[in-house]
Amino acid sequence: AAYWATAVRSILFDDQGLAPAPRLVEQHALPLLFQACSANAAAAIEELLSTPGIELDLRATDHIGRTPLKVASEHGHAQVVDTLLRLGHAPLLPDDRKASALMVAAARGRLEVVERLLEECPGAEHVFYTVHGETALMLALRRFHEDVALTLLRVPAVRAEVEERRRLHVGADSTAGRPRRYLAAAAYAGLCRAVEALLDHAVYGDCELPATQEAIFFAIVADHAAVLQLLLAHSPDLRTALVRGKRPLELAVENHAAGCAMLLQP
């Protein structure tokens, strides 16, 4: 705290205790703002952004293209995030890489930050895509952040997007590589609660539905027997249906998925 108080004062006042020209202050204050966001120094940020006559551009980015809010979100500093939002940082402002703070918070598993950002903008604005076409929900699932995924799935706009993807069969999975559908991603990560939530939020009942078959495939490949059991309980006909040209038991034996193979034994 003493360090940040001294750092802020050295920018706001010169050796004689007088305020330098605003342009000079802003030139030095912006790098300090990014440092404070990274170091969880909410009080220093409050002072920097509340000083009369000093207006820092909260749309500015650091040397790797991140906004102040994204820096704080990436580190999980919820108090700093709250301070930035209260003092005027746009919650949905993307950085130079076209990714919002919510996306980086979801990818890093920063649950408290995700909750705060959703409080600020609970609507459809949060259904954003990165430059790779991934949503915050997909990032959370792929990186095993189940609590974050479940929090996102409580947002009506996110649930609507899940159902729309399912209806249009968006994100078809390639033969090789990682899953690109939500249910398959949750299955591959072994996230039982997320699988249950997705099955509840969207209609995955049709055994011919590609999304369900992909989820079965990736659950077997990763040998997540508990996930496979959930999927089969929801769609029993998939136990003997063809998945990528093979029966589930064949896939389990081929992929040395002992747990799934035992579950699939007649």
Side-chain angles (χ1 to χ4, degrees), residues 25 124 140 171 254-255:
V25 173
E254 183 180 282
N255 287 276

Side-chain angles (χ1 to χ4, degrees), residues 64-131:
I64 56 174
R66 302 174 300 177
T67 61
L69 186 61
K70 185 175 177 182
V71 172
S73 299
E74 185 174 324
H75 289 278
H77 299 324
Q79 187 178 358
V80 172
V81 167
D82 188 69
T83 299
L84 289 168
L85 293 173
R86 179 164 44 83
L87 295 176
H89 199 307
L92 300 177
L93 182 68
D95 63 8
D96 289 352
R97 299 180 181 180
K98 310 301 181 185
S100 68
L102 180 73
M103 287 183 164
V104 72
R108 292 294 184 97
R110 309 302 192 187
L111 179 60
E112 191 175 356
V113 171
V114 168
E115 290 173 336
R116 180 65 185 87
L117 291 169
L118 289 174
E119 286 174 9
E120 193 72 15
C121 289
E125 299 93 339
H126 275 305
V127 185
F128 268 156
Y129 291 86
T130 69
V131 291

Side-chain angles (χ1 to χ4, degrees), residues 60-265:
T61 56
D62 64 6
H63 64 289
I64 56 174
R66 302 174 300 177
T67 61
L69 186 61
K70 185 175 177 182
V71 172
S73 299
E74 185 174 324
H75 289 278
H77 299 324
Q79 187 178 358
V80 172
V81 167
D82 188 69
T83 299
L84 289 168
L85 293 173
R86 179 164 44 83
L87 295 176
H89 199 307
L92 300 177
L93 182 68
D95 63 8
D96 289 352
R97 299 180 181 180
K98 310 301 181 185
S100 68
L102 180 73
M103 287 183 164
V104 72
R108 292 294 184 97
R110 309 302 192 187
L111 179 60
E112 191 175 356
V113 171
V114 168
E115 290 173 336
R116 180 65 185 87
L117 291 169
L118 289 174
E119 286 174 9
E120 193 72 15
C121 289
E125 299 93 339
H126 275 305
V127 185
F128 268 156
Y129 291 86
T130 69
V131 291
H132 301 295
E134 294 184 345
T135 63
L137 176 58
M138 183 61 82
L139 291 170
L141 291 171
R142 282 187 175 168
R143 301 192 182 191
F144 311 99
H145 302 311
E146 190 165 32
D147 288 334
V148 170
L150 292 172
T151 297
L152 289 167
L153 280 168
R154 287 194 285 270
V155 178
V158 174
R159 294 201 300 271
E161 195 269 345
V162 169
E163 171 58 19
E164 184 67 7
R165 274 195 168 206
R166 183 207 64 80
R167 188 179 66 82
L168 298 175
H169 302 318
V170 173
D173 295 296
S174 58
T175 303
R178 59 186 181 177
R180 292 185 293 179
R181 289 189 176 98
Y182 291 128
L183 189 63
Y188 192 47
L191 306 180
C192 289
R193 289 182 297 148
V195 168
E196 287 183 302
L198 285 164
L199 290 172
D200 178 58
H201 287 312
V203 185
Y204 284 103
D206 188 346
C207 72
E208 294 299 319
L209 198 63
T212 317
Q213 293 177 311
E214 291 301 315
I216 292 282
F217 173 81
F218 281 105
I220 292 173
V221 167
D223 198 17
H224 292 310
V227 170
L228 179 61
Q229 189 168 17
L230 285 172
L231 294 167
L232 292 177
H234 189 270
S235 302
D237 291 344
L238 284 174
R239 178 180 289 272
T240 55
L242 290 178
V243 177
R244 297 196 178 186
K246 297 182 180 180
R247 307 293 179 189
L249 182 57
E250 292 179 74
L251 284 172
V253 173
E254 183 180 282
N255 287 276
H256 308 287
C260 290
M262 184 175 298
L263 178 66
L264 291 165
Q265 288 293 338

